[in-house]
Amino acid sequence: MVDVKLIKELNFSADQVWALLGDYGNMNWMDGPPRHEVIGEGIGMIRRVLMEGMDPIDEVLETHDDASMSYSYTIPRGLPLPVTDYRSSCRVEAIDPQRSRVHWSCVCHPTDENMSAEDVQALLQDTYSTMLGWLEDYLSKA
């Protein structure tokens, strides 16, 4: 099993960050996916990412708590990474009124025997780092 944790401090309030991250169906802050659909609402909703030449990626919202500014999700279908049993969580924490900290983590099982657990961990950390960079850029332009 691979366990990945990434923490990033941002010069934006926790409320500003959670307004984007907490809106699970909103992916407008991401530079990556060209198209997505939202199926359902609340716990169990699916954020389906559609990319040309690939199977749809279904990200299923498992938990969501505005009070603790946190959610978790699984990707049971279409995961374009060499892993299975993927479960991720995201939490926003206030540092002070103008700064926050995002905690993003996941657990999963590698499926490519040619990649070490450390390789998979580095791949996922890079993915989360890129996503949080997009978030920071988006908030900087708002």
Side-chain angles (χ1 to χ4, degrees), residues 26-82:
N26 178 6
M27 296 179 79
N28 294 335
W29 55 272
M30 292 186 184
D31 282 345
R35 249 177 10 109
H36 76 283
E37 300 171 345
V38 175
I39 302 166
E41 57 185 59
I43 305 302
M45 74 184 282
I46 298 171
R47 186 169 64 183
R48 179 169 287 162
V49 180
L50 305 163
M51 294 193 279
E52 192 172 324
M54 293 178 59
D55 289 338
I57 303 165
D58 285 352
E59 301 178 341
V60 180
L61 184 63
E62 301 289 340
T63 65
H64 187 279
D65 184 0
D66 285 324
S68 65
M69 294 187 195
S70 66
Y71 64 79
S72 65
Y73 63 98
T74 57
I75 303 179
R77 180 177 96 125
L79 186 63
L81 300 169

Side-chain angles (χ1 to χ4, degrees), residues 23-139:
D23 182 4
Y24 189 73
N26 178 6
M27 296 179 79
N28 294 335
W29 55 272
M30 292 186 184
D31 282 345
R35 249 177 10 109
H36 76 283
E37 300 171 345
V38 175
I39 302 166
E41 57 185 59
I43 305 302
M45 74 184 282
I46 298 171
R47 186 169 64 183
R48 179 169 287 162
V49 180
L50 305 163
M51 294 193 279
E52 192 172 324
M54 293 178 59
D55 289 338
I57 303 165
D58 285 352
E59 301 178 341
V60 180
L61 184 63
E62 301 289 340
T63 65
H64 187 279
D65 184 0
D66 285 324
S68 65
M69 294 187 195
S70 66
Y71 64 79
S72 65
Y73 63 98
T74 57
I75 303 179
R77 180 177 96 125
L79 186 63
L81 300 169
V83 301
T84 189
D85 301 323
Y86 179 94
R87 175 176 287 281
S88 185
S89 63
C90 179
R91 181 172 59 88
V92 179
E93 168 191 17
I95 297 173
D96 61 38
Q98 287 81 36
R99 295 182 314 129
S100 60
R101 187 176 291 124
V102 177
H103 301 257
W104 210 307
S105 63
C106 84
V107 294
C108 58
H109 291 93
T111 59
D112 185 341
E113 59 190 47
N114 296 317
M115 291 183 74
S116 69
E118 292 78 17
D119 291 339
V120 172
Q121 187 174 35
L123 177 64
L124 288 164
Q125 283 179 323
D126 185 55
T127 299
Y128 296 144
S129 181
T130 298
M131 289 169 59
L132 290 172
W134 292 337
L135 178 69
E136 191 169 32
D137 290 346
Y138 187 90
L139 287 166

